Amino acid sequence: MPIRQFQAQRMHAPRDFQMIRPEPICVEIGAGKGKHALLFSSQHPEHKLIAIERTREKYLAMQKQHALEGQGNLQAVHADAMPWIVHALLPAQVQQFFILYPNPEPHNPAQRWLNMPFFEFLLSRLKVAGTLTLASNIPEYIAEAQQQLIETWKLPFVKEVIPVTSARTHFEIKYLQRGELCQQLIITKPEGYSTRFDDFMPLQGQNAVIETASETNPKDAE
C-alpha cells in the first residue's frame, strides 16, 4: 500500500521532555510492565536499554520492579513513543529496536507499525547492521509486515517461530501457554540504506544534550 511521508517537524515534544546522552542505545517500544526490558538489561549489561511505555499503570509497574532490581543500564520512559523518538533520538543511534506484541489494530490497519509513515523515521534512527525485532501471535500481522518489508521498505529480514519455552513478556507467556503460534521478524538495516530523515536532527539535539534524571540507578534514589 502507498505510504505518505511522515511529518516529523510537526511532532511536539512530550511534557517534561529531556534529551538523552548521544550514545549507542537499544530501545523497546511499548514495554508494558517491563518484563522483557528488565530481563534484557540484566542479561546484556554492556547495552543501555530505553524502555518506553505510554500507559501510566504499566509504566509505574515497570518502574517499581526496576527500583527493586536496580539495573543501571535500563531507563524507563513514560511517553508516547512517536514524539519521544522524534525529539530524543539522533540519526543512526539505535543498535536494536524491540516491538514485542504490539496492538494489531484490527479496525485500523494503517496504524500498524510497518504501515505507518513513521516507520521510515524509525529506520533513520537505526544504525547500519542494527536490528528491529517485531513479534506477534497473529499470523496475518506477521505476513502483512513481511510483505511490507519486501515491497515497500525493501529490507532484509529473518522470520522465526518463537519457541514455546520463551518468556520475554507477559503476553508471550500467555499466548504460548494457549498453544498459539508466536513469530518474530528480525529486520536488519543494510549498509547504504537511506531514508528521507537521515539528516533530521531534533531541535534540542542541536543545542545541548543532557542526561535525564531517570538515568540514575533507582536504588541510589531510595
Side-chain angles (χ1 to χ4, degrees), residues 27-162:
V27 176
E28 181 172 0
I29 299 173
K33 296 180 180 179
K35 186 173 180 62
H36 172 262
L38 293 158
L39 182 65
F40 179 88
S41 55
S42 294
Q43 293 178 342
H44 301 279
E46 74 281 10
H47 290 306
K48 176 173 180 178
L49 175 66
I50 295 182
I52 310 169
E53 175 52 43
R54 180 175 58 184
T55 306
R56 179 172 176 79
E57 181 182 358
K58 292 179 180 178
Y59 164 77
L60 291 175
M62 172 166 54
Q63 190 180 50
K64 180 179 179 180
Q65 190 61 33
H66 184 204
L68 294 173
E69 298 186 23
Q71 292 92 327
N73 60 327
L74 172 62
Q75 177 182 343
V77 171
H78 180 216
D80 182 28
M82 290 174 59
W84 188 91
I85 286 170
V86 167
H87 287 274
L89 299 184
L90 301 175
Q93 182 179 9
V94 178
Q95 298 165 310
Q96 297 181 69
F97 277 112
F98 297 98
I99 307 177
L100 307 179
Y101 304 95
N103 183 339
E105 302 287 353
H107 304 298
N108 193 2
Q111 290 298 308
R112 296 171 190 161
W113 284 101
L114 274 73
N115 295 345
M116 290 194 293
F118 175 71
F119 193 72
E120 182 182 1
F121 188 92
L122 201 64
L123 294 173
S124 76
R125 307 297 101 169
L126 191 62
K127 285 179 171 291
V128 170
T131 61
L132 186 153
T133 300
L134 175 71
S136 178
N137 65 316
I138 301 174
E140 295 79 12
Y141 189 101
I142 292 292
E144 180 186 70
Q146 180 175 334
Q147 183 177 6
Q148 287 287 64
L149 288 170
I150 295 169
E151 297 179 359
T152 301
W153 305 114
K154 304 187 186 308
L155 284 165
F157 64 91
V158 175
K159 182 166 73 170
E160 298 177 343
V161 173
I162 297 168

Side-chain angles (χ1 to χ4, degrees), residues 16-38:
D16 301 325
F17 173 80
Q18 290 181 305
M19 289 294 295
I20 61 171
R21 289 183 181 275
E23 60 188 353
I25 56 171
C26 301
V27 176
E28 181 172 0
I29 299 173
K33 296 180 180 179
K35 186 173 180 62
H36 172 262
L38 293 158

Side-chain angles (χ1 to χ4, degrees), residues 165-184:
T165 54
S166 188
R168 293 177 298 182
T169 77
H170 293 95
F171 282 125
E172 186 165 84
I173 293 170
K174 178 175 70 174
Y175 298 147
L176 290 172
Q177 285 180 344
R178 293 197 309 216
E180 296 183 21
L181 173 65
C182 292
Q183 301 175 93
Q184 64 185 12

